[in-house]
Amino acid sequence: YKKAAEFEPKLIEAWNMQGLCYKRLDKAAAAESCFKRALEIDSNNYDSLCNLGYFYFNSGRYEDAAVFLEKAAKLPEAEKDSD
């Protein structure tokens, strides 16, 4: 995913997947950075909002998590379909 993000820097899916990989490897700072980068590209991307929200929730940063998860929940249904 890192190569994909380098090749196509605005590919949100590459940043999200890279963030998930870093999270799995317990590289929290890198994961957070990737999720934030995805949101810089599209601040209303449902998957990115959820990923960063869940990341914060699992890190015990509940107030931060609420901001992103609430924003994701308020998106119109059409924007929540990531298929």
Side-chain angles (χ1 to χ4, degrees):
Y1 299 109
K2 186 175 182 178
K3 288 286 186 194
E6 289 172 2
F7 181 73
E8 185 61 50
K10 293 191 177 197
L11 185 62
I12 293 172
E13 294 83 358
W15 290 106
N16 276 321
M17 295 306 294
Q18 189 176 345
L20 292 171
C21 289
Y22 280 131
K23 175 71 173 106
R24 186 88 150 143
L25 294 171
D26 291 324
K27 296 185 176 188
E32 181 180 13
S33 178
C34 288
F35 296 142
K36 285 182 173 182
R37 178 66 184 111
L39 285 170
E40 287 174 10
I41 298 166
D42 180 358
S43 63
N44 288 316
N45 181 271
Y46 180 75
D47 290 335
S48 303
L49 290 166
C50 289
N51 285 338
L52 188 56
Y54 290 135
F55 172 81
Y56 285 147
F57 183 86
N58 290 326
S59 300
R61 295 170 59 181
Y62 303 117
E63 290 181 16
D64 292 330
V67 171
F68 293 96
L69 295 175
E70 287 174 5
K71 185 172 180 179
K74 292 178 182 176
L75 289 175
E77 286 301 315
E79 293 185 39
K80 294 179 185 178
D81 185 18
S82 61
D83 291 338

